[in-house]
Amino acid sequence: MKPNSMRRRLLSTVFMLGLAVAATLPAQAAGKRKVIIDDDVGGPRAAQLMAIQSPDVEVLGITIVSGSTWRDENIAHALRTLEVIGRSDIPVVPGSAFPLLNTQEATRRWEALYGKLVYKGAWMDEKWPDGTIQSQPNYHAHDVVPQLAEGMPHTKASNEIAANFMIRKVHEFPGQVTILATGPMTNVALAISLDPSFAETAKEIVYMGGSLNPHQVLPSKSAEQFAREYINTPRLEFNFRWDPEAAKIALRAPWKRIVMVPADPSTATELSAKLLNDMTKSSTPLAQMVKKVTETGFPLWDELATAVWLDPALISKSDQLFVSIDTDFGAGYGNTLSWPAAYAPQGLIASPTTVVREVNVPAFEKLMIRLMNLPTPPAAK
């Protein structure tokens, strides 16, 4: 065989081998999935850690909002969590301390007219109803940062504002950035208001919020107590109720894709003692921190949102609906509104939403256990 012929055959063989190898490469070889986690981080939780631990995900930043607890406390939790797991390279970006319009005083006036809310997050200044087994919320002023169970942070938050950070990153990576919103959507609404092209420049928004018709699934005492809210107010959910106006702005924007994880699928989940133990079997600083500070008995609201973004195959039942929020200051203030396409109001909602109704809970728990036990970089000093 002539040398040139041999060379051509060798090059052809190398080319074909290259194609075969390329076909077997994991998806992350083409670039990691980019996400901004927008959350009211109340402590080291799997909702954020699952995304951070996923090897094919790049967390561009964690933007912080008030909700379950106040923004400044949430910033401290996020910073300390990242220190412990050796990921202080991820920026923590302060967002809104207060809702757009809603206030604690307005909530008190609403309750005087329409009855007590079961849960009010950072505004929870009274005790749980008699018999509630979860620990009492630690009520304090918005600018107070109490001693954290995981320790106080040594690093500092970003000097940038959350809405500006979101806008900057979405334009830096057009069509690639997921907004994973697991708290009230005040920061998202501000970004949309500042930059009308923000939503359509992002890849998608996946959020935990809203409620359609949840009901008790599990037999535990915790499940029974969490379900009592849904019996009489099935459309009321905390993230929407904390800042209804922000949620309405966010859901009217022209996103390419919207995935809603309402309260409904969470009723089939619970952070049991066994699940927590399985999630924290490794000796990593992450696992030991989570084991030390995590209270069991809660539904896995935010963790579900992260999980179905990481693996959409976990969704076992979903609907396509148009979704909005009641912002009239009446009995339904903050309630979830939804319509199938044939009945949706014209021109008021830009895009249909994939509404997650049910998930494969065993597969979901398996994903959590695997990711939470992965190694972490050395902890920051």
Side-chain angles (χ1 to χ4, degrees), residues 39-43 63-80 92-98 122 140-148 150-153 155-158 242:
D39 192 29
D40 53 342
V41 184
T63 52
I64 305 296
V65 67
S66 291
S68 293
T69 43
W70 288 114
R71 179 198 64 183
D72 291 357
E73 179 181 349
N74 297 336
I75 290 170
H77 279 300
L79 289 170
R80 183 56 187 157
V92 175
V93 191
S96 181
F98 302 104
H140 57 77
H142 72 90
D143 55 354
V144 171
V145 178
Q147 186 67 34
L148 308 182
E150 65 272 26
M152 302 303 286
T155 49
K156 301 293 184 183
S158 169
W242 174 267

Side-chain angles (χ1 to χ4, degrees), residues 160-189:
E160 198 168 7
I161 295 171
N164 289 343
F165 175 84
M166 288 180 171
I167 292 168
R168 180 168 65 83
K169 286 298 179 182
V170 161
H171 284 282
E172 183 179 346
F173 305 105
Q176 299 179 59
V177 180
T178 296
I179 306 299
L180 180 59
T182 49
M185 290 199 277
T186 316
N187 292 337
V188 178

Side-chain angles (χ1 to χ4, degrees), residues 113-131:
L113 293 169
Y114 303 112
K116 289 287 186 180
L117 293 167
V118 173
Y119 181 63
K120 292 177 285 191
W123 294 329
M124 197 76 180
D125 58 352
E126 67 263 45
K127 292 183 178 179
W128 290 113
D130 290 344

Side-chain angles (χ1 to χ4, degrees), residues 14 23 44 70 84 109 144 149 151 166 194 228 236 247 257 300 303-304 319 351 373 376:
V14 169
W70 288 114
V84 170
R109 294 200 307 270
V144 171
M166 288 180 171
L194 288 167
R228 66 190 169 198
L236 187 65
R257 184 169 183 262
L300 295 163
E303 289 78 7
L304 276 176
D319 289 327
S351 307
N373 283 294
T376 58

Side-chain angles (χ1 to χ4, degrees), residues 20-289:
V21 170
T24 64
L25 287 175
Q28 59 263 35
K32 292 187 175 185
R33 301 168 67 192
K34 294 175 172 57
V35 66
I36 295 172
I37 301 172
D38 186 57
D39 192 29
D40 53 342
V41 184
R45 295 184 300 152
Q48 304 86 32
L49 293 168
M50 289 166 64
I52 294 169
Q53 288 287 91
S54 184
D56 69 338
V57 170
E58 179 183 1
V59 177
L60 299 176
I62 302 176
T63 52
I64 305 296
V65 67
S66 291
S68 293
T69 43
W70 288 114
R71 179 198 64 183
D72 291 357
E73 179 181 349
N74 297 336
I75 290 170
H77 279 300
L79 289 170
R80 183 56 187 157
T81 297
L82 293 174
E83 289 173 359
V84 170
I85 67 170
R87 290 303 310 273
S88 292
D89 57 300
I90 299 174
V92 175
V93 191
S96 181
F98 302 104
L100 297 182
L101 291 178
N102 199 17
T103 64
Q104 184 170 13
E105 183 54 39
T107 299
R108 288 174 177 153
R109 294 200 307 270
W110 186 94
E111 287 182 308
L113 293 169
Y114 303 112
K116 289 287 186 180
L117 293 167
V118 173
Y119 181 63
K120 292 177 285 191
W123 294 329
M124 197 76 180
D125 58 352
E126 67 263 45
K127 292 183 178 179
W128 290 113
D130 290 344
T132 297
I133 61 177
Q134 275 75 36
S135 61
Q136 179 65 31
N138 181 20
Y139 178 77
H140 57 77
H142 72 90
D143 55 354
V144 171
V145 178
Q147 186 67 34
L148 308 182
E150 65 272 26
M152 302 303 286
H154 307 292
T155 49
K156 301 293 184 183
S158 169
N159 291 325
E160 198 168 7
I161 295 171
N164 289 343
F165 175 84
M166 288 180 171
I167 292 168
R168 180 168 65 83
K169 286 298 179 182
V170 161
H171 284 282
E172 183 179 346
F173 305 105
Q176 299 179 59
V177 180
T178 296
I179 306 299
L180 180 59
T182 49
M185 290 199 277
T186 316
N187 292 337
V188 178
L190 290 171
I192 292 166
S193 300
L194 288 167
D195 178 7
S197 69
F198 169 74
E200 60 188 353
T201 308
K203 180 180 180 180
E204 61 188 347
I205 183 169
V206 178
Y207 72 91
M208 190 279 135
S211 177
L212 300 178
N213 189 28
H215 59 279
Q216 183 178 348
V217 174
L218 301 179
S220 69
K221 185 65 175 179
S222 290
E224 177 188 334
Q225 291 188 342
F226 280 108
R228 66 190 169 198
E229 180 177 2
Y230 309 134
I231 294 170
N232 297 301
T233 54
R235 291 275 170 159
L236 187 65
E237 181 275 330
F238 170 74
N239 280 348
F240 276 13
R241 181 58 178 74
W242 174 267
D243 196 343
E245 289 77 17
K248 178 172 279 192
I249 290 170
L251 299 186
R252 284 185 173 183
W255 303 93
K256 293 184 179 75
R257 184 169 183 262
I258 307 175
V259 178
M260 172 189 187
V261 182
D264 301 54
S266 73
T267 60
T269 70
E270 184 175 307
L271 184 56
S272 65
K274 181 183 184 307
L275 178 57
L276 178 61
N277 183 64
D278 290 344
M279 287 165 48
T280 56
K281 282 184 175 179
S282 73
S283 59
T284 64
L286 181 156
Q288 297 311 304
M289 171 182 61

Side-chain angles (χ1 to χ4, degrees), residues 314-378:
L314 293 173
I315 302 170
S316 55
K317 183 179 179 181
S318 64
D319 289 327
Q320 290 293 314
L321 298 174
F322 287 81
V323 179
S324 189
I325 299 90
D326 187 347
T327 52
D328 292 338
F329 197 74
Y333 182 61
N335 277 5
T336 307
L337 305 175
S338 62
W339 306 265
Y343 295 90
Q346 297 299 310
L348 294 180
I349 306 169
S351 307
T353 293
T354 298
V355 179
V356 178
R357 295 283 200 168
E358 296 177 7
V359 297
N360 181 336
V361 175
F364 162 54
E365 291 183 350
K366 185 177 180 180
L367 176 66
M368 289 182 65
I369 292 166
R370 179 176 65 82
L371 292 175
M372 294 294 286
N373 283 294
L374 289 178
T376 58

